[in-house]
Amino acid sequence: MDDIVHPLRHYRKTNNISLKEMAELVGTSEQSISRIETGKQEPSVSMIIDLSRATKNTIPPATFLDFAIATRKKRRGTGSSAGSKKERAA
């Protein structure tokens, strides 16, 4: 996942916001923010809304979903045209 930079990490680094500061803005732990940024944790819908608000809506909620989809595909080693498991097995 290292070659995919999460938009939240980019936002934090660009705006000099620490993990701790972001976690406080959102009301979660530093570990959760770090895991979201590295694709090891997918944020809940309410967390996505809180993250979007914390970034002053510069990262729209849909971006978090796009990143989750991209990291899932990367973990599975599938391209953008991957179908269901049945389609890939056929």
Side-chain angles (χ1 to χ4, degrees):
M1 300 312 144
D2 292 337
D3 58 337
I4 303 175
V5 177
H6 195 285
L8 181 59
R9 177 168 283 167
H10 177 74
Y11 177 86
R12 278 193 324 98
K13 297 295 182 181
T14 302
N15 293 282
N16 296 314
I17 298 172
S18 69
L19 277 172
K20 182 178 181 179
E21 291 169 324
M22 183 57 71
E24 288 173 357
L25 285 169
V26 177
T28 192
S29 68
E30 292 175 51
Q31 182 181 17
S32 287
I33 298 296
S34 178
R35 291 179 60 79
I36 289 166
E37 289 181 347
T38 58
K40 294 177 183 171
Q41 175 181 333
E42 292 180 14
S44 66
V45 172
S46 61
M47 174 77 72
I48 289 171
I49 292 167
D50 291 342
L51 288 165
S52 186
R53 287 181 182 152
T55 62
K56 300 176 182 150
N57 294 313
T58 58
I59 305 174
T63 301
F64 290 97
L65 300 174
D66 290 343
F67 185 82
I69 291 166
T71 55
R72 280 184 189 175
K73 287 180 180 176
K74 182 144 179 77
R75 272 185 287 219
R76 291 182 185 150
T78 60
S80 60
S81 62
S84 69
K85 287 183 181 179
K86 287 182 181 178
E87 290 172 333
R88 287 193 304 267

